[in-house]
Amino acid sequence: MSYSIEREDHFDFLSAEYAALHAASSATAFQDGVWLHRLYAVLVPARNAHPVVVTVRREADRELVLVLPLVRTGRAVLTLTFADLGVADYNAAVASGAALMELGRRPEVVAGIRRALGRFDLLRVDRVAGPPQATAALFGGALVHRHRYDTHVMTLESTPEAWRETLDAAFVRHLERKYKRLRPKGERTLRVVTDVAEVAPLMLRLRAFRAARFAERGGVDLVQDDATYAFYRAVAEDSVRRGGPARLAVLEVAGDPVAIALDLVEPDRELFLLVGYDVERLRNYSLGLLIVDGLVQDAIRRGKSYFDLTVGDESYKSDFAARPLPLHQVRIPRTVPGRAAMVLDDGVLAARRIAKRALLAWKARRARKPAGVVRPGGTVGSEPSAQPQTQ
């Protein structure tokens, strides 16, 4: 069987052929056509990046069998990455599992992909979930590196009650106490937005909630960046119109939004993406934990098998009995500057993590009383921020 490998930097991710390929693939919701269409239209120009889209088709019938959605950034060091730009928790080649294995074993296909990529100093595929070998094989000679952080996934039961029984009893009691404290403030409702006219005001409120939360923590929130915010809002609006891949959910008390979450949905799972909650008016009600609890129960009722808390090692994930799963990075340094940049990236990441741990330890020592969730054993768990992780 012969294949045609091409560069199609203006590829139509909303096309029927891409939708069919993605549905049959092992890729994630971060490679959904709506998501990638908006990423290339909104974020790529805002980040001074350039699209690099490689397609592979069977020559006999021109059927699309593989799409590699990448971007090129940098001047001194030309870097190719999958279409990420700080908003994707998982990156994946878009093809069926069988096609990935087949194409990676074909030297002429691998050589064709390398030619189609054009000139670069460093190629980097971040946050590959699952075995990375099939992705690495597409590029030939790639280095595989395990990330220092994991992703976290809950396996769901058939009913919310059965799932709750898998959690630590003390944590469940903590959630129920928070629900009880919230009850006098009015009726509590978790609903999914179906009217596109609601998206803009709710996304603005989510942004404001996060601004207040991250200001207290001294952290950097990508949602405060105008281009990133415009991207998320566009994905949310498109998803309401098209029925996915995102769901905008609102936790309301007495009709007023107190927590808002933007998630992604796959056939068997829901992925926790962004959340904002009212820390200024309802600081001690653990709204971040309550909306996760509500979203999980709703996912179970819709027949989902997994709830994915995505990337990062925040302690609240263990409260929800999410199991850590490894992530990998696939890299090809093609030049001396590319190899130097790779080594520098590794060093910067390690230094940032050491500094972050030191800062958290210092804050914990200075705190007069612990904030967040007190887990069994006396350790303190954090509330979720659901922010895609970047290096």
Side-chain angles (χ1 to χ4, degrees):
M1 187 179 297
S2 301
Y3 296 95
S4 172
I5 298 100
E6 301 171 6
R7 272 281 292 275
E8 298 186 52
D9 292 351
H10 299 289
F11 182 82
D12 183 4
F13 285 97
L14 297 180
S15 64
E17 69 168 350
Y18 184 77
L21 176 67
H22 183 265
S25 76
S26 52
T28 75
F30 292 104
Q31 289 76 51
D32 183 90
V34 170
W35 180 275
L36 288 177
H37 169 73
R38 286 300 183 180
L39 185 141
Y40 281 106
V42 177
L43 277 185
V44 166
R47 298 286 182 267
N48 293 317
H50 302 276
V52 176
V53 181
V54 177
T55 62
V56 178
R57 288 182 167 84
R58 284 200 299 258
E59 285 192 344
D61 57 8
R62 297 294 295 168
E63 181 178 348
L64 186 68
V65 296
L66 171 71
V67 174
L68 298 175
L70 300 106
V71 295
R72 186 178 68 245
T73 58
R75 292 183 178 179
V77 179
L78 287 179
T79 303
L80 284 180
T81 64
F82 266 42
D84 183 324
L85 297 177
V87 297
D89 278 10
Y90 305 132
N91 290 297
V94 186
S96 69
L100 279 178
M101 297 297 293
E102 160 71 11
L103 296 174
R105 289 195 294 258
R106 302 287 293 267
E108 73 279 11
V109 172
V110 174
I113 289 173
R114 290 292 290 267
R115 286 193 297 271
L117 292 174
R119 189 169 71 88
F120 66 87
D121 296 302
L122 175 64
L123 182 146
R124 195 180 69 231
V125 187
D126 292 318
R127 294 178 294 283
V128 177
Q133 289 77 17
T135 301
L138 292 173
F139 300 105
L143 305 173
V144 175
H145 173 76
R146 179 167 173 171
H147 277 296
R148 292 180 175 86
Y149 48 79
D150 298 322
T151 189
H152 295 77
V153 179
M154 288 181 248
T155 300
L156 305 181
E157 302 294 331
S158 58
T159 66
E161 294 76 19
W163 169 71
R164 277 287 197 90
E165 290 179 0
T166 67
L167 305 183
D168 188 281
F171 179 63
V172 173
R173 288 194 297 271
H174 170 81
L175 293 175
E176 291 305 321
R177 285 195 298 270
K178 295 300 182 179
Y179 282 128
K180 185 177 180 179
R181 284 193 63 196
L182 203 55
R183 199 171 299 141
K185 293 188 174 294
E187 182 181 3
R188 185 185 77 249
T189 305
L190 179 68
R191 66 180 182 87
V192 175
V193 175
T194 57
D195 182 356
V196 71
E198 285 193 89
V199 173
L202 286 172
M203 289 297 292
L204 278 173
R205 184 169 288 201
L206 181 149
R207 192 185 195 189
F209 285 164
R210 290 175 65 89
R213 173 69 170 162
F214 276 77
E216 288 186 352
R217 297 167 58 189
V220 176
D221 177 25
L222 290 179
V223 178
Q224 306 311 314
D225 171 75
D226 289 341
T228 304
Y229 170 73
F231 164 76
Y232 284 129
R233 173 179 160 175
V235 168
E237 290 174 338
D238 288 348
S239 295
V240 171
R241 294 188 186 100
R242 302 170 69 98
R247 295 173 84 242
L248 187 62
V250 187
L251 178 62
E252 294 177 331
V253 174
D256 186 36
V258 299
I260 303 167
L262 182 67
D263 285 358
L264 294 177
V265 179
E266 296 179 359
D268 66 341
R269 73 189 61 209
E270 188 158 339
L271 294 85
F272 193 46
L273 180 62
L274 290 176
V275 67
Y277 45 89
D278 193 342
V279 296
E280 294 181 324
R281 292 193 303 119
L282 300 169
R283 176 175 303 277
N284 297 317
Y285 290 81
S286 296
L287 292 174
L289 299 178
L290 296 187
I291 195 169
V292 171
D293 181 59
L295 289 170
V296 173
Q297 294 193 48
D298 181 61
I300 292 171
R301 296 186 186 100
R302 289 183 288 113
K304 301 300 180 184
S305 300
Y306 305 97
F307 195 92
D308 191 338
L309 291 174
T310 63
V311 174
D313 296 324
E314 298 90 345
S315 56
Y316 82 91
K317 296 177 180 180
S318 62
D319 291 323
F320 282 104
R323 70 187 189 279
L325 298 174
L327 293 171
H328 294 85
Q329 187 181 65
V330 175
R331 302 182 290 188
I332 298 178
R334 179 175 268 184
T335 65
V336 172
R339 184 169 293 277
M342 184 180 71
V343 172
L344 180 62
D345 283 347
D346 289 344
V348 169
L349 180 60
R352 285 173 57 187
R353 294 194 174 281
I354 292 170
K356 183 177 180 180
R357 285 196 294 268
L359 178 61
L360 291 174
W362 178 79
K363 286 184 175 180
R365 288 194 299 269
R366 286 181 59 87
R368 293 184 178 179
K369 61 179 181 179
V373 180
V374 179
R375 300 205 306 272
T379 57
V380 179
S382 62
E383 294 257 4
S385 61
Q387 175 82 27
Q389 304 294 310
T390 57
Q391 289 197 50

